[in-house]
Amino acid sequence: MVRFGKVTTCLILGAASCNVAAFTTPSSRLPSSSMMEPLTSTAVYQKEMSKRSSTELNALPAAAAAITGPIGSVSVLAFVILIHELGHFLAARSLNISVKEFSVGVGPKLAGFTRKTGTETDEDDEGIEFNLRAIPLGGYVRFPENYNTTLEYQLEMEAESKRKEIADKVKEIREQNSEEVSNAGILSATNIGLFSSIAAMKKPTKEERLLALEAMAIDLNKSEEKTTGNWFQNLFSGNKTPSKTDENKRSIVIEEDGTVTAPEVDYYSDPDLLQNRPWAQRALVLVGGVVFNIILAFSLYFGELTIGNGIQKPSFGQGAIVTSVARANSAGVGILDKGDVIVSLNGKQLTSTKPTLYESQNTISDFISSIRAINPGDALHLEVLKASTKTISEVDIKPSPMNDKEKNSPLSIGVMIAPNFVGNELVKSSNPVEAAAMASSEVSELATQTAKSILKFLGGLVMSGGNAPAGQQLSGPIGVLKTGSDVVKTNDIAAVVGFAAAISVNLAVVNSLPLPALDGGQLVFVISEALTGKKVDQRRQEEITAFALFFLLLVSAGTAVGDVSNLLK
């Protein structure tokens, strides 16, 4: 995350400015009341890893595991974020760009120190703050602002106060006019109050504002250098911008029509500020976090392939497995049994013979979408490998509403399904060259599938009018922490390394999205400048970013609610 004072380029969860919500990972999960087991293919793999670890490794006592699991998960996430922010920081410092703060964690400050960047006798060198903060689920690199935001706020508050003062004076003049009209006998006493109320509701006109200013005896340029003539002449003199070079002596400006504006504060010309550097250097700083996350994932995979025990890769069989008995009075009663494998749907194979993790996961989402899309009363034709006979049976099943009492309840076949997990394969390389190629392939595949899943989810969200696509759910930091805790509890180093690599790639992909509140979105502004030769107005950019942050805040809140709901089930 890159911060320019009050402007952040990250997702926000609650009031904390952090990359926490950038951990979002699409998963094929539904509540257990649906036709699908709330487990992704990754979760199935972790479940099997947990079983294996309980027999092959020395398991920690339950009480200790309950503590070390969450702590270990938080530590992994904090480490991945630290690497991301280190990418921004080192890129900036390598270009001698000023940095104000490097923070590990967000929220209240727990400890920290300040390191001078110049000589000890340099009084203007405020140094860089290195802080450890209370919530270890985020972090940021904060760069100095390139204009005086405090002064800008003060001027806007002063302008608002003056607008109110003028509005009050206009109201007073209106009341006086209504009394004069009444005294002249034009209005009855009954209509005086009505006339005053209607007048008070109207916005002040130009003439009313000018009358109010004249009544208040305001000198239009009293905070500027004095000009000849009275205030009314100055009103139309065109001298509307502060002439003093000291920005702290700037004042609000009253325009020719009597409206009040706050003058824009000038940008600093300091060449060491990030905002004043060429577009190429700013782009390098913005992509630094993503690059470091990719390097981290590659290094973790490479290390496991060479000096570690190898990469554990889950393998899957054809189709989707039924993981529960059919719900009472559901469509699957007497047709589908626990352990059955659904091989095809309406004559089309669900998966290849040896599907990948991602193919198996996407199959579940597509299968559920097919069920939801069918017309009520229509039947699905399935080919099922029966667990009891090990033979293929062709069956027809008519999906029914999950809840008969709910209107528009989604259709269901009454059982939970999951990818057909077979077992684990331990992959290890014989030489560094092969390890580098395999690690690169792992990172590339993971990044590609993560990007596809996120874009598919967001696309489905837009097409469905804000509802999550069938079979997909966006998991936020709570869900990721839960998954990480389960992985850490296995005491399997390979599993923990794989989790860290996956989160690192995920963080890189999410921050690359072209949303204004993320690194990728900020990069879009920079690329636009490079192509057009014109810099995007910074204040307009900040407004767009603030709007995007609000949207991402809503997404973060939604993922948190979903994660908590899943934990309570």
Side-chain angles (χ1 to χ4, degrees):
M1 173 183 63
V2 175
R3 293 187 64 186
F4 307 105
K6 66 179 180 182
V7 181
T8 61
T9 58
C10 66
L11 263 74
I12 290 183
L13 182 64
S17 301
C18 59
N19 273 352
V20 172
F23 302 143
T24 49
T25 53
S27 59
S28 300
R29 295 188 292 180
L30 283 180
S32 55
S33 59
S34 71
M35 78 286 291
M36 174 191 168
E37 182 174 14
L39 292 174
T40 63
S41 50
T42 306
V44 174
Y45 163 58
Q46 291 160 354
K47 186 176 180 180
E48 294 298 323
M49 287 291 294
S50 178
K51 293 178 181 178
R52 182 176 68 85
S53 298
S54 64
T55 57
E56 296 180 13
L57 299 174
N58 295 323
L60 288 173
I67 298 175
T68 58
I71 292 177
S73 180
V74 168
S75 299
V76 171
L77 295 180
F79 175 71
V80 172
I81 297 170
L82 172 64
I83 296 300
H84 179 91
E85 304 308 335
L86 196 61
H88 292 308
F89 179 80
L90 293 180
R93 295 307 300 151
S94 67
L95 298 170
N96 292 321
I97 295 174
S98 297
V99 175
K100 196 167 186 178
E101 180 185 0
F102 182 94
S103 178
V104 177
V106 295
K109 177 180 174 180
L110 298 179
F113 63 92
T114 300
R115 179 180 177 273
K116 294 285 187 178
T117 56
T119 62
E120 294 184 359
T121 58
D122 188 357
E123 296 181 357
D124 295 330
D125 182 14
E126 296 181 356
I128 303 174
E129 292 183 45
F130 293 86
N131 294 322
L132 175 65
R133 297 186 179 274
I135 305 174
L137 297 180
Y140 56 84
V141 177
R142 183 156 60 100
F143 295 87
E145 297 160 328
N146 67 333
Y147 66 97
N148 192 331
T149 56
T150 301
L151 175 61
E152 185 178 64
Y153 176 79
Q154 291 174 345
L155 287 172
E156 185 56 44
M157 291 299 98
E158 184 181 347
E160 186 60 31
S161 176
K162 187 59 65 177
R163 294 186 193 106
K164 185 177 184 302
E165 185 179 352
I166 293 175
D168 290 343
K169 192 64 179 179
V170 169
K171 181 180 178 181
E172 181 183 334
I173 293 174
R174 285 173 175 175
E175 291 176 349
Q176 291 175 354
N177 291 338
S178 65
E179 290 178 2
E180 292 175 0
V181 172
S182 175
N183 292 333
I186 299 176
L187 287 178
S188 66
T190 306
N191 292 329
I192 293 176
L194 179 62
F195 179 83
S196 300
S197 299
I198 295 175
M201 293 172 61
K202 292 174 55 181
K203 286 186 177 181
T205 63
K206 173 183 176 180
E207 291 74 16
E208 287 178 324
R209 286 193 296 267
L210 295 179
L211 285 173
L213 290 172
E214 186 173 12
M216 295 161 61
I218 292 180
D219 182 358
L220 179 62
N221 301 306
K222 74 176 183 177
S223 63
E224 302 176 15
E225 292 180 355
K226 299 296 183 180
T227 58
T228 58
N230 58 40
W231 77 270
F232 195 78
Q233 292 174 331
N234 290 337
L235 180 64
F236 300 100
S237 67
N239 183 19
K240 298 186 294 181
T241 57
S243 59
K244 291 184 179 294
T245 57
D246 184 357
E247 66 170 12
N248 291 320
K249 294 183 179 179
R250 285 194 170 185
S251 177
I252 58 174
V253 176
I254 301 178
E255 307 288 351
E256 294 179 358
D257 61 356
T259 57
V260 181
T261 60
E264 288 191 352
V265 177
D266 292 337
Y267 294 118
Y268 301 144
S269 59
D270 186 353
D272 289 337
L273 295 177
L274 175 63
Q275 300 88 333
N276 295 338
R277 288 301 181 94
W279 70 265
Q281 294 185 14
R282 283 182 279 129
L284 182 62
V285 174
L286 287 171
V287 302
V290 170
V291 171
F292 266 50
N293 277 137
I294 296 297
I295 293 175
L296 172 61
F298 173 84
S299 301
L300 291 172
Y301 283 132
F302 184 82
E304 276 297 304
L305 288 166
T306 52
I307 61 177
N309 296 324
I311 297 177
Q312 290 281 353
K313 293 181 69 82
S315 64
F316 298 88
Q318 186 178 15
I321 189 169
V322 177
T323 60
S324 70
V325 297
R327 191 177 65 248
N329 301 321
S330 68
V333 173
I335 300 176
L336 296 174
D337 301 313
K338 185 176 181 179
D340 290 350
V341 176
I342 302 174
V343 178
S344 72
L345 170 65
N346 294 331
K348 183 180 179 180
Q349 298 292 312
L350 290 184
T351 66
S352 58
T353 306
K354 291 185 176 181
T356 63
L357 182 152
Y358 305 104
E359 182 184 355
S360 296
Q361 184 169 325
N362 291 332
T363 293
I364 302 299
S365 298
D366 294 340
F367 185 78
I368 295 175
S369 296
S370 298
I371 295 174
R372 298 282 173 83
I374 196 173
N375 294 322
D378 289 350
L380 298 173
H381 184 73
L382 307 178
E383 287 187 0
V384 181
L385 176 62
K386 301 298 293 184
S388 56
T389 62
K390 303 300 180 184
T391 59
I392 296 290
S393 297
E394 295 189 19
V395 299
D396 290 322
I397 185 170
K398 292 183 178 181
S400 59
M402 292 174 58
N403 190 338
D404 294 331
K405 297 180 180 180
E406 288 185 9
K407 188 178 180 180
N408 299 323
S409 177
L411 297 177
S412 166
I413 59 176
V415 297
M416 295 188 290
I417 62 174
N420 188 13
F421 180 81
V422 175
N424 300 308
E425 297 178 10
L426 187 63
V427 180
K428 194 172 175 64
S429 66
S430 58
N431 60 75
V433 175
E434 182 186 33
M438 293 173 65
S440 298
S441 177
E442 286 291 323
V443 172
S444 176
E445 182 181 14
L446 182 58
T448 300
Q449 294 300 328
T450 300
K452 286 182 178 179
S453 297
I454 292 176
L455 293 176
K456 181 180 179 181
F457 179 89
L458 294 177
L461 203 63
V462 173
M463 296 299 294
S464 61
N467 297 318
Q472 285 193 313
Q473 180 175 321
L474 204 63
S475 180
I478 298 175
V480 174
L481 279 174
K482 175 62 170 62
T483 300
S485 179
D486 293 340
V487 172
V488 172
K489 288 177 184 178
T490 66
N491 295 336
D492 190 297
I493 298 299
V496 175
V497 168
F499 172 70
I503 292 300
S504 189
V505 171
N506 194 279
L507 186 59
V509 171
V510 172
N511 272 278
S512 299
L513 295 176
L515 296 175
L518 300 172
D519 295 340
Q522 297 298 310
L523 189 61
V524 169
F525 291 122
V526 175
I527 293 175
S528 172
E529 177 185 343
L531 295 177
T532 63
K534 184 178 179 180
K535 194 171 183 178
V536 179
D537 181 74
Q538 184 174 326
R539 288 179 174 84
R540 178 62 58 84
Q541 183 176 332
E542 290 174 359
E543 292 173 357
I544 296 173
T545 300
F547 178 79
L549 282 172
F550 177 74
F551 168 75
L552 295 177
L553 175 61
L554 295 179
V555 174
S556 300
T559 61
V561 172
D563 290 340
V564 172
S565 298
N566 288 330
L567 289 176
L568 295 177
K569 288 172 182 175

